[in-house]
Amino acid sequence: MMIPQKFLVMKCVRILFILHVAGILFVAYKIYSSSTSQPGTTNASAREYFARKSNGNASSSVGFSSNNNVIEVQYTATVAELGENNDEFINEEEDEGEVNTDTVSDDEDNTDAATENIEQPEQGKQNNIAFQSKNVNRKKDDTRAGSSVLSQQTSKSNGPNLAYKKEPLGLPLSSLGTPHWTIMYAGKYSKSLYSPPANERPIQRLPGAIVIGSPNSGIRPLVDFLEMHPQIVPLKKEITFFDNQDRLQFFSSDFLSQMPVTYSNQVTVVRARFSYWTRKSICDLYFRNKMLKVIVVLRDPVSRILSQVTNSNKGRAGQLVVAQQGQTLKINNDTETAEWGRYVEYLKMWTQCFPKSQIHIVEWSDIMQRPSLTVHIIEGFLGVPYKLKADNFFRDEARRVYCIRPLHTKSKTCLSDKRGKIPELTPQEEALIYNFYSKHNEELFKLLGQRYHWGP
Ligand SMILES: Nc1ncnc2c1ncn2[C@@H]1O[C@H](COP(=O)(O)OS(=O)(=O)O)[C@@H](OP(=O)(O)O)[C@H]1O
C-alpha cells in the first residue's frame, strides 16, 4: 500500500518538532542543574556541600582544568580547614574584566564565627571541593594565605583572567592564574629530596602536631632540627589562641590564616607554652582534632630556670635570688618562673584529654646529645618518611652544642653566641630549688613511667 507523500512529510515534521522540544528541554535542564549545583546558589552549608561532593571519599588531589574561560578548581581541604561559614567563599561573584586588586572587601568576621561547632573530620577523611568561577579577584595587600611563605610573580598576561570575590579560607586563590610562583617551604628542597604531590596546589592547613613545653626547655632547637625535614613545616612563633574564657580559637580563620602553606603530604607543626593551656582548652583541642600529635619537651626545671634567667639578662650576668614562701618558690621575686617547672601539673591535663599514643615526650638531653636519633623517632611519630640523617648534625665542641646542616643547603647553622652569663647558685639555693621540685618531679616520673637524671 502506498503511503501518501503528504502524510510522510507531516510525520517527519512532527518528529522534528518533538526532537526540537526535547532538545530545548534538555538544554533547559542542563542550565537549571548547573545553576543549582553551584554551591553558592543552593545556600547549602559548606559542610553539607562538601559531604555531598565527597561521598566520604578521601582525596588529596588538586586539579585545575580550564574550559571556555571557566576555571574549575578542585582541591582538598578538611571542613575545619575551611571553617564552617564559608558561604562567602563559595558565593563567587562573576566579574568580567580586568583584575582589580583594590576593590575586594575582606570581611573576616563571617569566617571567624561558627568555629565552635565544627567537628574536625579525622585525618585522611577529607572532603573534595569543587567550584567554578570566572575571574578571580583579590585584594592587593592581603597578607593572609601565608604570604610570608609564598612569593609570587603575578603576571596579568599569563593564564586566564580570574576573579573571586573573597579568598576562601586556607586557599591562596591569588595564585590561581599565576603560573610562576615559588613556595618557599616546599621549594627550597631539590626535587630529589622532595617533590610535592602531582597537580597539587598548596594551601594553609591546621597543624598536624603541636610542640609544647615551658620556655627555655629546648623547643626552639627541636623545631629548628625538625624544620630540616622537607615534610615538616613549622610555624616558628608561639601560638596563643584563646579568648578570655579559655575557649580555643584554634580553628578560627584568623588562626588558619597564620599557618604556612603546605602540601597534603606535609605536616604543619606549631609550638605553644604549657602554661597557656587549661584542661578545658586542651580537651577542646582534642575534640576538634582527634588526630593531632603532641610533642612534649621537658628539661630539668632547675637548669630551665637558669637558662631563663641567663637569657633574660642579655649580655649581663644573670642575677638569681631564690626564696621559698610557703608552697611557692620565688625566683627574683617572681612566682611564675618556678611554676613553669611543675611539668606534671601540665602534662596530667594533656594525658587526660589526649590518648597517650598521641603524646611523644622529648627530654632536653635527647635534643642536646642525640639530635639525630631524636628527630628520627619524631619522623616516625609524625608519620613522615625518614629523611634526616646523622650528617645533618655536627657537633660544635667549643660551644658544646649540635649545629645543623640542612638537607637543601651545604651551609651550617649554629646556636648564636649572644647569651648572658649563667648565674651561679649557692649550695643552699640549689638545695632549696631542687627540694621544691623533687615532689613534682617524682610525680612526673610516675606519670611517665620513666626517670630522668635531674638533680644537682
Ligand atoms: N641550636 C641549638 N642547639 C643547642 N641549644 C640550643 C639551640 N638553640 C637554642 N638552644 C638552647 O635552648 C635553650 C632555649 O630553649 P627554648 O628554645 O625552648 O627557649 S625559648 O623558645 O627561647 O623559650 C637555651 O638553653 P641554654 O643555653 O641553657 O640557655 C638555648 O641556648
Side-chain angles (χ1 to χ4, degrees):
M1 197 176 85
M2 284 286 287
I3 301 168
Q5 204 175 2
K6 196 174 158 197
F7 181 76
L8 271 178
V9 171
M10 288 285 287
K11 195 104 181 149
C12 285
V13 168
R14 215 177 285 160
I15 289 169
L16 280 173
F17 179 73
I18 291 168
L19 285 175
H20 189 70
V21 169
I24 291 172
L25 286 174
F26 179 73
V27 170
Y29 169 75
K30 273 283 167 196
I31 292 169
Y32 172 76
S33 61
S34 75
S35 74
T36 52
S37 70
Q38 290 279 345
T41 55
T42 57
N43 232 357
S45 76
R47 190 209 303 261
E48 278 166 9
Y49 175 69
F50 303 152
R52 232 180 22 237
K53 269 285 187 197
S54 70
N55 269 338
N57 287 339
S59 166
S60 59
S61 72
V62 176
F64 299 86
S65 67
S66 171
N67 182 10
N68 294 336
N69 202 30
V70 175
I71 302 300
E72 181 164 328
V73 184
Q74 290 209 330
Y75 66 95
T76 304
T78 63
V79 170
E81 277 167 356
L82 292 153
E84 175 109 290
N85 191 354
N86 276 284
D87 281 352
E88 78 285 20
F89 130 58
I90 41 190
N91 269 327
E92 322 94 73
E93 191 181 69
E94 291 204 351
D95 186 8
E96 310 274 358
E98 279 285 289
V99 171
N100 177 353
T101 51
D102 293 319
T103 55
V104 178
S105 81
D106 208 358
D107 184 13
E108 292 275 349
D109 292 342
N110 296 341
T111 54
D112 262 332
T115 54
E116 266 299 289
N117 303 318
I118 297 170
E119 274 171 35
Q120 166 85 337
E122 289 187 5
Q123 212 170 15
K125 285 189 192 160
Q126 293 177 314
N127 295 310
N128 214 1
I129 304 147
F131 59 95
Q132 292 192 327
S133 176
K134 281 181 186 173
N135 303 327
V136 173
N137 202 350
R138 184 181 184 262
K139 206 172 169 183
K140 197 178 194 171
D141 60 352
D142 192 346
T143 51
R144 300 175 0 134
S147 52
S148 57
V149 293
L150 187 72
S151 79
Q152 310 166 55
Q153 299 155 19
T154 314
S155 161
K156 276 187 189 169
S157 58
N158 278 332
N161 186 16
L162 304 166
Y164 271 90
K165 180 161 189 274
K166 175 148 174 63
E167 178 177 305
L169 290 177
L171 182 73
L173 273 185
S174 55
S175 51
L176 286 174
T178 56
H180 308 293
W181 54 323
T182 316
I183 302 21
M184 303 302 281
Y185 271 111
K188 72 183 181 183
Y189 299 97
S190 75
K191 285 236 160 56
S192 62
L193 295 168
Y194 175 64
S195 43
N199 299 324
E200 191 176 304
R201 186 169 293 263
I203 59 172
Q204 289 168 295
R205 292 163 210 276
L206 288 174
I210 181 167
V211 185
I212 51 161
S214 288
N216 302 86
S217 297
I219 294 182
R220 199 156 33 91
L222 180 65
V223 169
D224 284 351
F225 294 169
L226 292 174
E227 198 191 8
M228 288 193 288
H229 196 292
Q231 281 162 258
I232 299 177
V233 186
L235 180 78
K236 290 289 198 77
K237 68 173 187 181
E238 274 182 359
I239 55 159
T240 50
F241 264 81
F242 305 97
D243 66 13
N244 51 15
Q245 275 147 35
D246 271 346
R247 280 186 316 219
L248 200 60
Q249 302 293 295
F250 210 75
F251 298 90
S252 66
S253 59
D254 199 26
F255 178 80
L256 185 60
S257 72
Q258 301 194 29
M259 292 299 112
V261 174
T262 57
Y263 289 100
S264 59
N265 66 0
Q266 291 178 311
V267 182
T268 300
V269 176
V270 292
R271 45 175 295 192
R273 285 185 188 198
F274 261 153
S275 58
Y276 292 152
W277 301 81
T278 59
R279 188 171 179 277
K280 184 174 179 299
S281 59
I282 298 167
C283 289
D284 193 20
L285 177 65
Y286 174 69
F287 284 115
R288 285 159 186 266
N289 186 356
K290 291 191 177 165
M291 303 301 285
L292 188 77
K293 310 254 171 91
V294 181
I295 299 172
V296 178
V297 180
L298 301 173
R299 180 180 186 179
D300 180 336
V302 181
S303 77
R304 192 206 71 76
I305 287 181
L306 288 173
S307 170
Q308 187 181 328
V309 174
T310 307
N311 291 308
S312 59
N313 286 280
K314 289 195 178 70
R316 289 177 283 123
Q319 200 208 6
L320 183 56
V321 180
V322 188
Q324 178 128 26
Q325 201 174 57
Q327 293 297 301
T328 56
L329 193 67
K330 279 191 166 181
I331 307 289
N332 291 347
N333 234 2
D334 158 59
T335 50
E336 206 175 27
T337 300
E339 289 303 304
W340 290 343
R342 289 166 45 161
Y343 308 132
V344 67
E345 305 301 331
Y346 301 118
L347 196 57
K348 245 192 241 161
M349 297 192 292
W350 286 85
T351 56
Q352 283 162 359
C353 301
F354 276 77
K356 282 191 183 160
S357 58
Q358 272 167 247
I359 303 178
H360 178 66
I361 312 286
V362 178
E363 201 264 331
W364 171 259
S365 52
D366 296 331
I367 304 168
M368 296 299 143
Q369 288 163 23
R370 20 182 195 280
S372 164
L373 176 63
T374 299
V375 296
H376 184 78
I377 293 170
I378 293 176
E379 287 172 330
F381 177 65
L382 295 182
V384 294
Y386 295 106
K387 292 237 162 117
L388 299 177
K389 306 266 176 327
D391 282 2
N392 296 116
F393 302 92
F394 66 95
R395 183 111 181 126
D396 181 332
E397 289 303 341
R399 293 183 214 172
R400 292 191 289 147
V401 292
Y402 275 94
C403 305
I404 52 176
R405 194 187 286 116
L407 288 161
H408 61 284
T409 164
K410 293 210 159 32
S411 66
K412 305 163 185 174
T413 311
C414 276
L415 179 64
S416 144
D417 277 337
K418 287 187 195 144
R419 299 173 59 224
K421 192 167 169 290
I422 303 170
E424 283 188 12
L425 286 172
T426 64
Q428 292 80 3
E429 284 175 322
E430 197 171 67
L432 187 64
I433 199 165
Y434 273 110
N435 281 341
F436 174 79
Y437 284 119
S438 66
K439 184 170 138 268
H440 304 295
N441 287 348
E442 285 307 318
E443 267 185 63
L444 176 74
F445 300 153
K446 211 163 139 197
L447 178 68
L448 295 173
Q450 79 171 94
R451 303 186 70 78
Y452 296 125
H453 302 292
W454 293 348

mmCIF file of all heavy atoms in Angstrom, residues 257-278:
data_model
loop_
_atom_site.group_PDB
_atom_site.id
_atom_site.type_symbol
_atom_site.label_atom_id
_atom_site.label_comp_id
_atom_site.label_asym_id
_atom_site.label_seq_id
_atom_site.Cartn_x
_atom_site.Cartn_y
_atom_site.Cartn_z
ATOM 1 N N SER A 257 44.801 31.507 59.032
ATOM 2 C CA SER A 257 45.463 32.431 58.123
ATOM 3 C C SER A 257 46.931 32.637 58.491
ATOM 4 O O SER A 257 47.693 33.177 57.714
ATOM 5 C CB SER A 257 44.729 33.771 58.107
ATOM 6 O OG SER A 257 44.966 34.449 59.326
ATOM 7 N N GLN A 258 47.316 32.216 59.672
ATOM 8 C CA GLN A 258 48.719 32.362 60.059
ATOM 9 C C GLN A 258 49.553 31.118 59.773
ATOM 10 O O GLN A 258 50.746 31.085 60.018
ATOM 11 C CB GLN A 258 48.796 32.689 61.545
ATOM 12 C CG GLN A 258 48.050 33.959 61.842
ATOM 13 C CD GLN A 258 48.372 34.497 63.198
ATOM 14 O OE1 GLN A 258 49.464 34.296 63.712
ATOM 15 N NE2 GLN A 258 47.428 35.188 63.783
ATOM 16 N N MET A 259 48.876 30.085 59.329
ATOM 17 C CA MET A 259 49.587 28.838 59.086
ATOM 18 C C MET A 259 50.394 28.904 57.783
ATOM 19 O O MET A 259 50.003 29.593 56.845
ATOM 20 C CB MET A 259 48.586 27.673 58.988
ATOM 21 C CG MET A 259 47.895 27.344 60.291
ATOM 22 S SD MET A 259 49.051 26.844 61.569
ATOM 23 C CE MET A 259 48.908 28.214 62.691
ATOM 24 N N PRO A 260 51.486 28.176 57.748
ATOM 25 C CA PRO A 260 52.245 28.150 56.495
ATOM 26 C C PRO A 260 51.472 27.401 55.409
ATOM 27 O O PRO A 260 50.590 26.604 55.705
ATOM 28 C CB PRO A 260 53.517 27.391 56.878
ATOM 29 C CG PRO A 260 53.169 26.613 58.080
ATOM 30 C CD PRO A 260 52.096 27.381 58.804
ATOM 31 N N VAL A 261 51.830 27.670 54.203
ATOM 32 C CA VAL A 261 51.207 26.992 53.063
ATOM 33 C C VAL A 261 51.904 25.637 52.868
ATOM 34 O O VAL A 261 53.124 25.581 52.827
ATOM 35 C CB VAL A 261 51.371 27.870 51.805
ATOM 36 C CG1 VAL A 261 50.866 27.161 50.568
ATOM 37 C CG2 VAL A 261 50.647 29.182 52.001
ATOM 38 N N THR A 262 51.119 24.599 52.805
ATOM 39 C CA THR A 262 51.728 23.263 52.706
ATOM 40 C C THR A 262 51.000 22.387 51.697
ATOM 41 O O THR A 262 49.873 22.657 51.326
ATOM 42 C CB THR A 262 51.668 22.522 54.062
ATOM 43 O OG1 THR A 262 50.301 22.449 54.465
ATOM 44 C CG2 THR A 262 52.501 23.182 55.114
ATOM 45 N N TYR A 263 51.671 21.332 51.319
ATOM 46 C CA TYR A 263 51.045 20.294 50.500
ATOM 47 C C TYR A 263 50.462 19.234 51.430
ATOM 48 O O TYR A 263 50.808 19.164 52.621
ATOM 49 C CB TYR A 263 52.082 19.653 49.580
ATOM 50 C CG TYR A 263 52.524 20.582 48.481
ATOM 51 C CD1 TYR A 263 53.716 21.283 48.583
ATOM 52 C CD2 TYR A 263 51.736 20.757 47.355
ATOM 53 C CE1 TYR A 263 54.114 22.150 47.574
ATOM 54 C CE2 TYR A 263 52.123 21.616 46.340
ATOM 55 C CZ TYR A 263 53.318 22.311 46.456
ATOM 56 O OH TYR A 263 53.697 23.160 45.465
ATOM 57 N N SER A 264 49.640 18.371 50.839
ATOM 58 C CA SER A 264 48.921 17.410 51.687
ATOM 59 C C SER A 264 49.836 16.398 52.358
ATOM 60 O O SER A 264 49.459 15.788 53.345
ATOM 61 C CB SER A 264 47.847 16.690 50.876
ATOM 62 O OG SER A 264 48.457 16.017 49.795
ATOM 63 N N ASN A 265 51.033 16.199 51.817
ATOM 64 C CA ASN A 265 51.911 15.242 52.494
ATOM 65 C C ASN A 265 52.930 15.925 53.416
ATOM 66 O O ASN A 265 53.929 15.339 53.803
ATOM 67 C CB ASN A 265 52.603 14.308 51.488
ATOM 68 C CG ASN A 265 53.560 15.058 50.585
ATOM 69 O OD1 ASN A 265 53.712 16.268 50.690
ATOM 70 N ND2 ASN A 265 54.210 14.326 49.697
ATOM 71 N N GLN A 266 52.647 17.175 53.749
ATOM 72 C CA GLN A 266 53.495 17.868 54.727
ATOM 73 C C GLN A 266 52.718 18.050 56.032
ATOM 74 O O GLN A 266 51.490 18.111 56.017
ATOM 75 C CB GLN A 266 53.906 19.245 54.187
ATOM 76 C CG GLN A 266 54.878 19.147 53.010
ATOM 77 C CD GLN A 266 55.247 20.509 52.457
ATOM 78 O OE1 GLN A 266 54.372 21.324 52.191
ATOM 79 N NE2 GLN A 266 56.535 20.739 52.262
ATOM 80 N N VAL A 267 53.440 18.137 57.105
ATOM 81 C CA VAL A 267 52.795 18.296 58.414
ATOM 82 C C VAL A 267 53.109 19.691 58.954
ATOM 83 O O VAL A 267 54.278 20.066 59.061
ATOM 84 C CB VAL A 267 53.328 17.250 59.432
ATOM 85 C CG1 VAL A 267 52.626 17.400 60.772
ATOM 86 C CG2 VAL A 267 53.164 15.849 58.898
ATOM 87 N N THR A 268 52.070 20.421 59.274
ATOM 88 C CA THR A 268 52.270 21.735 59.893
ATOM 89 C C THR A 268 52.464 21.527 61.390
ATOM 90 O O THR A 268 51.692 20.817 62.029
ATOM 91 C CB THR A 268 51.029 22.627 59.652
ATOM 92 O OG1 THR A 268 50.857 22.771 58.251
ATOM 93 C CG2 THR A 268 51.192 23.994 60.297
ATOM 94 N N VAL A 269 53.523 22.123 61.906
ATOM 95 C CA VAL A 269 53.820 21.957 63.335
ATOM 96 C C VAL A 269 53.807 23.325 64.005
ATOM 97 O O VAL A 269 54.442 24.264 63.528
ATOM 98 C CB VAL A 269 55.205 21.286 63.521
ATOM 99 C CG1 VAL A 269 55.580 21.203 64.989
ATOM 100 C CG2 VAL A 269 55.202 19.884 62.907
ATOM 101 N N VAL A 270 53.069 23.426 65.095
ATOM 102 C CA VAL A 270 53.060 24.683 65.848
ATOM 103 C C VAL A 270 53.652 24.450 67.232
ATOM 104 O O VAL A 270 53.791 23.313 67.671
ATOM 105 C CB VAL A 270 51.632 25.268 65.986
ATOM 106 C CG1 VAL A 270 51.100 25.730 64.643
ATOM 107 C CG2 VAL A 270 50.680 24.276 66.623
ATOM 108 N N ARG A 271 54.001 25.522 67.887
ATOM 109 C CA ARG A 271 54.576 25.400 69.228
ATOM 110 C C ARG A 271 53.816 26.288 70.193
ATOM 111 O O ARG A 271 53.320 27.353 69.816
ATOM 112 C CB ARG A 271 56.059 25.770 69.214
ATOM 113 C CG ARG A 271 56.355 27.024 68.436
ATOM 114 C CD ARG A 271 57.789 27.424 68.537
ATOM 115 N NE ARG A 271 58.108 27.789 69.899
ATOM 116 C CZ ARG A 271 59.236 28.408 70.250
ATOM 117 N NH1 ARG A 271 60.130 28.710 69.357
ATOM 118 N NH2 ARG A 271 59.460 28.710 71.500
ATOM 119 N N ALA A 272 53.703 25.828 71.409
ATOM 120 C CA ALA A 272 52.967 26.622 72.408
ATOM 121 C C ALA A 272 53.510 26.319 73.798
ATOM 122 O O ALA A 272 54.076 25.259 74.045
ATOM 123 C CB ALA A 272 51.481 26.294 72.358
ATOM 124 N N ARG A 273 53.312 27.269 74.658
ATOM 125 C CA ARG A 273 53.759 27.081 76.051
ATOM 126 C C ARG A 273 52.770 26.239 76.827
ATOM 127 O O ARG A 273 51.559 26.388 76.657
ATOM 128 C CB ARG A 273 53.822 28.420 76.751
ATOM 129 C CG ARG A 273 54.966 29.227 76.340
ATOM 130 C CD ARG A 273 54.990 30.452 77.189
ATOM 131 N NE ARG A 273 55.994 31.352 76.665
ATOM 132 C CZ ARG A 273 56.488 32.336 77.358
ATOM 133 N NH1 ARG A 273 56.072 32.569 78.586
ATOM 134 N NH2 ARG A 273 57.403 33.111 76.844
ATOM 135 N N PHE A 274 53.324 25.460 77.731
ATOM 136 C CA PHE A 274 52.498 24.685 78.665
ATOM 137 C C PHE A 274 51.482 25.576 79.380
ATOM 138 O O PHE A 274 50.321 25.249 79.527
ATOM 139 C CB PHE A 274 53.399 24.135 79.763
ATOM 140 C CG PHE A 274 53.821 22.706 79.574
ATOM 141 C CD1 PHE A 274 55.026 22.259 80.119
ATOM 142 C CD2 PHE A 274 53.011 21.785 78.920
ATOM 143 C CE1 PHE A 274 55.420 20.947 80.003
ATOM 144 C CE2 PHE A 274 53.400 20.471 78.809
ATOM 145 C CZ PHE A 274 54.610 20.047 79.344
ATOM 146 N N SER A 275 51.982 26.714 79.848
ATOM 147 C CA SER A 275 51.194 27.491 80.792
ATOM 148 C C SER A 275 49.976 28.172 80.164
ATOM 149 O O SER A 275 49.125 28.673 80.862
ATOM 150 C CB SER A 275 52.068 28.548 81.472
ATOM 151 O OG SER A 275 52.626 29.368 80.482
ATOM 152 N N TYR A 276 49.903 28.186 78.832
ATOM 153 C CA TYR A 276 48.744 28.815 78.209
ATOM 154 C C TYR A 276 47.484 27.969 78.335
ATOM 155 O O TYR A 276 46.388 28.456 78.139
ATOM 156 C CB TYR A 276 48.980 29.017 76.709
ATOM 157 C CG TYR A 276 50.032 30.027 76.356
ATOM 158 C CD1 TYR A 276 50.749 29.914 75.181
ATOM 159 C CD2 TYR A 276 50.300 31.104 77.194
ATOM 160 C CE1 TYR A 276 51.714 30.834 74.840
ATOM 161 C CE2 TYR A 276 51.265 32.026 76.856
ATOM 162 C CZ TYR A 276 51.967 31.883 75.679
ATOM 163 O OH TYR A 276 52.915 32.795 75.338
ATOM 164 N N TRP A 277 47.671 26.696 78.588
ATOM 165 C CA TRP A 277 46.560 25.766 78.422
ATOM 166 C C TRP A 277 45.865 25.406 79.723
ATOM 167 O O TRP A 277 46.508 25.179 80.742
ATOM 168 C CB TRP A 277 47.063 24.476 77.767
ATOM 169 C CG TRP A 277 47.682 24.730 76.437
ATOM 170 C CD1 TRP A 277 48.952 25.174 76.200
ATOM 171 C CD2 TRP A 277 47.060 24.601 75.167
ATOM 172 N NE1 TRP A 277 49.149 25.323 74.853
ATOM 173 C CE2 TRP A 277 48.010 24.969 74.194
ATOM 174 C CE3 TRP A 277 45.787 24.198 74.750
ATOM 175 C CZ2 TRP A 277 47.727 24.956 72.837
ATOM 176 C CZ3 TRP A 277 45.515 24.174 73.392
ATOM 177 C CH2 TRP A 277 46.477 24.554 72.455
ATOM 178 N N THR A 278 44.553 25.326 79.632
ATOM 179 C CA THR A 278 43.778 24.780 80.739
ATOM 180 C C THR A 278 43.284 23.413 80.262
ATOM 181 O O THR A 278 43.346 23.102 79.066
ATOM 182 C CB THR A 278 42.546 25.646 81.031
ATOM 183 O OG1 THR A 278 41.749 25.684 79.838
ATOM 184 C CG2 THR A 278 42.927 27.048 81.441
#
